[in-house]
Amino acid sequence: MNIVILSRNANLYSTDRLVEEGENRGHKIEIIDPLKCDIIIEKEKPTIYYKDRYLDYVDAIIPRIGASITFYGCAVVRQFEMMNVFTTASSEAILRSRDKLKSLQRLSKAGIGMPKTVFTNYSRDVEEVIEHVGGVPVIIKLLEGTQGLGVVLAESKNAAESVLEAFNGLEARVIVQEFIKEAKGADLRALVVDGQVVGAMKRQGKEGEFRSNLHRGGNAQIIKLSAAELSVAMKASQALKLPVCGVDMLQSDRGPLLLEVNSSPGLEGIENATGKNIAKSIINYIERNTKK
């Protein structure tokens, strides 16, 4: 089978592991930079041209589309879809997951618990916004933020007001979320493949850091999810129509609360923490869903 990994960096751990496991299964794996693809739109013959050839031989793709190239990356994924190529994440699902507000709205409708969240259109009534999420401290997030960037903990009303006024001045849209104190700077990452959780870890932020992202100095360890946590992860995958994704949750006094769903989850942290071969699970998923 010819499998293409859409990635801008062939040296990333996740990309390298997918190549390794795909080749171990006897597949031909190719890494292609989506920004170097030309999309050719023609009646009944959509194609993609890359460097010196047409990509008309591809059986499946694994999109590893970074947030900074979402628009063009998803256009490339969509073109492959028009060519009837199997993908582990559809273009619409990637776009859906990248829009924090839209994804939270869909997840809420699906009955999934999450921290109280408020979105407002450059509101000056900061006190009212804070009351809606239960008072300070609050988390303020840029809608376009990723990997812990654009996320601020405001511990007082004055701090929250200052941060919101700064973002308002930049015309940057934000959401305000309830701060879950009992999570103690930790969160859970569940890796879902084909709608099932294949690995989970607990990530703990470093001392004094409320964000648990591993690249910000946090650490991770394997964890066995509760039935409620497993249910949230699988429901979130279904609600956003992302059969392969990372689901981030907080442990709270009222049960698991969903933070976000990542359409291009990194494999290094979770494979190292759990000892699970996640890359192999993704390749197996492709094999089960393609004819060749």
Side-chain angles (χ1 to χ4, degrees):
M1 193 187 317
N2 294 305
I3 301 174
V4 161
I5 301 172
L6 293 174
S7 174
R8 299 213 65 208
N9 189 346
N11 298 317
L12 290 177
Y13 176 94
S14 300
T15 304
D16 187 58
R17 285 287 296 118
L18 290 164
V19 171
E20 180 183 13
E21 291 302 326
E23 290 179 344
N24 285 345
R25 297 285 295 175
H27 305 301
K28 183 178 179 182
I29 311 295
E30 198 173 356
I31 302 168
I32 286 178
D33 182 347
L35 293 190
K36 294 180 179 178
C37 291
D38 293 332
I39 297 171
I40 301 173
I41 301 171
E42 185 180 354
K43 182 181 178 181
E44 297 181 352
K45 194 182 178 183
T47 54
I48 295 175
Y49 190 77
Y50 178 74
K51 292 185 176 179
D52 59 351
R53 63 195 183 280
Y54 293 99
L55 302 180
D56 54 4
Y57 53 85
V58 179
D59 300 307
I61 61 170
I62 303 173
R64 304 288 305 173
I65 305 297
S68 63
I69 64 163
T70 296
F71 177 81
Y72 197 81
C74 284
V76 173
V77 174
R78 190 180 306 115
Q79 189 76 349
F80 274 114
E81 291 173 310
M82 297 301 103
M83 296 160 60
N84 297 315
V85 173
F86 178 78
T87 176
T88 56
S90 73
S91 56
E92 287 304 311
I94 296 171
L95 287 169
R96 197 179 296 123
S97 70
R98 290 283 160 79
D99 185 328
K100 283 189 176 70
L101 180 61
K102 184 183 290 186
S103 62
L104 287 175
Q105 288 172 317
R106 289 182 68 98
L107 293 163
S108 173
K109 186 178 180 181
I112 296 171
M114 59 190 68
K116 294 176 185 176
T117 302
V118 173
F119 174 70
T120 183
N121 191 36
Y122 308 135
S123 172
R124 300 295 177 184
D125 195 346
V126 176
E127 191 166 337
E128 186 176 274
V129 170
I130 292 171
E131 285 179 7
H132 283 317
V133 297
V136 292
V138 296
I139 301 293
I140 302 173
K141 295 181 179 180
L142 278 173
L143 285 180
E144 296 80 17
T146 184
Q147 294 185 323
L149 299 175
V151 181
V152 178
L153 171 62
E155 300 191 73
S156 68
K157 288 183 180 179
N158 286 340
E161 185 172 356
S162 296
V163 172
L164 285 171
E165 284 180 353
F167 282 141
N168 287 347
L170 295 170
E171 295 189 354
R173 296 188 182 278
V174 299
I175 55 175
V176 179
Q177 279 191 330
E178 165 191 17
F179 177 64
I180 308 300
K181 184 178 180 180
E182 60 267 29
K184 298 178 180 177
D187 72 5
L188 308 180
R189 160 63 65 90
L191 212 299
V192 177
V193 177
D194 201 6
Q196 300 297 314
V197 175
V198 295
M201 62 180 173
K202 184 171 185 176
R203 304 181 296 191
Q204 179 68 56
K206 66 180 180 180
E207 188 70 27
E209 174 61 73
F210 71 95
R211 292 165 293 188
S212 59
N213 306 73
L214 298 184
H215 78 284
R216 305 193 71 86
N219 61 75
Q221 63 184 34
I222 189 171
I223 188 172
K224 183 177 181 180
L225 298 182
S226 68
E229 290 159 354
L230 285 169
S231 177
V232 166
M234 291 186 287
K235 278 185 178 180
S237 169
Q238 292 167 1
L240 296 187
K241 297 182 180 179
L242 278 170
V244 177
C245 61
V247 180
D248 296 340
M249 298 172 278
L250 293 176
Q251 292 177 309
S252 80
D253 292 341
R254 60 181 189 269
L257 302 177
L258 187 136
L259 284 177
E260 65 179 337
V261 180
N262 191 321
S263 59
S264 297
L267 303 183
E268 184 172 10
I270 197 156
E271 285 199 339
N272 289 338
T274 65
K276 300 285 184 66
N277 192 334
I278 307 296
K280 183 179 179 180
S281 296
I282 294 172
I283 299 299
N284 288 344
Y285 166 61
I286 293 172
E287 291 173 344
R288 290 194 299 271
N289 287 274
T290 52
K291 295 178 181 178
K292 295 184 180 181

